[in-house]
Amino acid sequence: MHTILGIDVGASGVKGALVDVQHGKLHGERFRVPTPQPATPDALAVAFAEVVAFFDYKGVVGCGFPAIVKNGVAHSAANIDQHWIGTNIEEVLGKASGTRVFATNDADAAGIAEMRHGAGKGEQGLVFLITIGTGLGTALFYKGVLVPNTELGHLIWKKNKPVEAFCSSGARERLKISRTDWAKRFNAYLLHLERLFSPDLFILGGGESKYFETYKNLLTPQARVVPAQLLNNAGIIGAAAYAAENKETV
Ligand code: BGC
């Protein structure tokens, strides 16, 4: 069995688990530490190293990170400390944990996992995975191939602010709106994405997807809308899969 440590760095928690990358399943328990606030490179590196140290593991580590990630470098920082912009995530987290880290965007990681092992398995058309958490993350696939770093949670929505400021879970809590009102807003976002991209399938992931049954009737795109199947583990599984693929190329 091919086992790789996957770590999902989120705005509120850093979660890791050993992953059987062939079958897309966790191998053993998850370990989580809270994301330090502010989530500076130094502070986050300590939390990341703590998660790695929990596992008796020496191989490469996959990391899903909540930012635009190109060649291991963060190019945005919406829900983490601004000092990440321009920082090489793989170097900073690798040095702190004594491992070789491969980093990719967190929503892209979750999307990779869902396409291979979850709700997107076998889907050949245009698929969006949307993670609904503190922010709104998007992953776009066509014929199973990822278009990385789509960042459609940052479409400008109202008052020059990104849509994640109105339609994420974080926004629902901050603005104290009911889940029904939130779902109506979120539906407007789905319809807008549909108008722009004509997807065949929307997969909804992240914390809010747990309540899918309670609001699914309010979602009206023509495309199918389904909840993610790997629950909160998609980010971890996809991060491990990303590392498994990229370690072959270095
Ligand atoms: C970030 C994305 C990330 C998403 C979910 C957004 O604010 O810009 O890179 O995927 O949050 O964490």
Side-chain angles (χ1 to χ4, degrees), residues 66-68 78-79 105-107 131 135-137 151 154 164:
I68 297 169
N79 296 304
N105 171 265
D106 58 351
T131 60
L136 270 188
E151 292 289 325
H154 287 267
E164 75 171 10

Side-chain angles (χ1 to χ4, degrees), residues 28-173:
E29 59 187 316
R30 278 163 55 120
F31 181 68
R32 179 189 192 275
V33 299
T35 301
Q37 305 297 339
T40 60
D42 284 351
L44 208 45
V46 171
F48 187 88
E50 204 182 325
V51 175
V52 174
F54 175 83
F55 298 94
D56 182 21
Y57 178 80
K58 292 279 168 279
V60 300
V61 179
C63 170
F65 198 84
I68 297 169
V69 183
K70 287 187 87 142
N71 302 318
V73 177
H75 287 267
S76 67
N79 296 304
I80 48 169
D81 187 80
Q82 296 296 310
H83 288 97
W84 276 104
I85 297 175
T87 298
N88 190 313
I89 304 161
E90 297 179 347
E91 272 174 30
V92 170
L93 301 184
K95 199 168 160 215
S97 59
T99 57
R100 173 71 170 93
V101 173
F102 291 90
T104 189
N105 171 265
D106 58 351
D108 286 349
I112 290 169
E114 286 292 332
M115 290 302 284
R116 288 212 192 132
H117 305 286
K121 206 169 163 183
E123 290 289 340
Q124 285 304 310
L126 198 133
V127 180
F128 264 114
L129 171 116
I130 307 177
T131 60
I132 314 161
T134 307
L136 270 188
T138 57
L140 176 63
F141 295 83
Y142 183 58
K143 294 193 172 166
V145 177
L146 171 70
V147 180
N149 291 310
T150 44
E151 292 289 325
L152 291 165
H154 287 267
L155 274 179
I156 295 301
W157 198 241
K158 271 196 282 186
K159 301 180 190 156
N160 214 20
K161 287 192 182 159
V163 66
E164 75 171 10
F166 302 93
C167 298
S168 63
S169 246
R172 187 180 58 68
E173 285 161 18

Side-chain angles (χ1 to χ4, degrees), residues 187-250:
N187 185 47
Y189 173 53
L190 292 185
L191 294 177
H192 190 58
L193 288 179
E194 179 158 67
R195 176 72 180 79
L196 298 178
F197 293 94
S198 304
D200 300 289
L201 174 68
F202 286 107
I203 304 173
L204 306 187
E208 212 63 31
S209 64
K210 275 185 278 192
Y211 309 98
F212 184 76
E213 287 302 314
T214 68
Y215 59 77
K216 68 175 184 191
N217 292 338
L218 296 167
L219 307 179
T220 60
Q222 284 170 29
R224 284 168 291 141
V225 187
V226 299
Q229 282 175 8
L230 304 171
L231 309 170
N232 259 341
N233 297 328
I236 295 175
I237 294 169
Y242 179 79
E245 259 157 44
N246 284 275
K247 85 183 174 72
E248 313 302 343
T249 62
V250 289

